[in-house]
Every structure is written in C-alpha cells, then in structure tokens.
C-alpha cells in the first residue's frame, strides 16, 4: 500500500470513526493508522501565521473495510502511572466531539475532517 491519507467522515461511537478512504485505496482490516490535528504556528510578535504542523492525537486500527470508506477503532490507552505490564489493562481513550476538560488523558477531541494517516507497509 502506498501512502494513504484520509479524513474523519463520521464519529460512530466513543471508540470508532468512519474514514473517507477504503478498499479502493488498498486498505485492509488490521491496517494501522493515526489521527492528526493541524495546529497553526503564530509569530508571537506579529500574530502572523508562520505555518502549520500536524500533531498525532490518537492511534487507530481498521476494523471494517468498504470500497469507499473504512471504520477504525481506537488503540491508544489512557495514560496512568501503572507499571508498563499493567498498562494493557487500562481503558481505551475515548473520542469526544466536544472539547474535553484541560489535562484529560481519557478523552481525545475529534472533528469531522481531521486528518488520518495510514501506515505504509511497503
């Protein structure tokens, strides 16, 4: 699969997203992906936008593939101070369409149109 980028088409549940690319783009069940948020970088003196960067916000894995879209589930877990071997028992992060409270490690804000990058297996 060559590099595939898509966008969030719909928030299905607190752990599932529909993405606007699918089997027609070479995606398969089990493919890994990551959700990114675009963040503007402003000059602190002038306020001018200098550019933007994409910041990774959430890990995903494709669970359903249709020709023109796919469904991906959250794979990132809530961060805790638990030992590494116990972290796999932590709950998955939750998708929210409203801004979570500051400092929340349980929820990730997601909007329709957010960018999704699929891992390149080549």
């Amino acid at each position: 699969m060559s590099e595939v980028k898509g966008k969030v088409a719909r928030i299905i549940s607190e752990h599932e997203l529909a993405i606007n690319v699918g089997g027609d783009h070479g995606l398969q069940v089990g493919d890994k992906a990551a959700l990114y948020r675009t963040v503007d970088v402003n000059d602190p003196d002038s306020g001018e936008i200098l550019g933007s960067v994409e910041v990774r916000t959430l890990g995903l894995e494709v669970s359903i593939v249709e020709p023109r879209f796919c469904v991906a589930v959250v794979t990132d877990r809530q961060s805790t101070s638990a030992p590494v071997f116990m972290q796999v028992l932590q709950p998955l992060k939750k998708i929210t369409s409203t801004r979570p409270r500051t400092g929340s490690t349980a929820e990730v804000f997601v909007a329709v149109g957010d960018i999704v990058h699929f891992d390149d297996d080549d």
Side-chain angles (χ1 to χ4, degrees), residues 4-27:
V4 176
K5 277 188 184 181
K7 291 186 178 180
V8 173
R10 183 172 183 142
I11 298 168
I12 296 174
S13 72
E14 64 184 19
H15 294 113
E16 295 178 302
L17 298 171
I19 303 165
N20 70 346
V21 292
D24 289 350
H25 288 87
L27 297 180

Side-chain angles (χ1 to χ4, degrees), residues 33-81:
L35 181 75
Y36 287 81
R37 165 111 352 207
T38 301
V39 177
D40 289 335
V41 178
N42 296 49
D43 184 286
D45 294 325
S46 69
E48 174 188 6
I49 296 177
L50 303 173
S52 59
V53 294
E54 291 180 357
V55 178
R56 184 190 183 281
T57 58
L58 194 62
L60 303 165
E61 182 175 316
V62 175
S63 62
I64 299 170
V65 177
E66 295 293 333
R68 297 178 57 204
F69 76 95
C70 68
V71 175
V73 296
V74 173
T75 58
D76 286 354
R77 299 201 174 271
Q78 296 176 23
S79 52
T80 67
S81 59

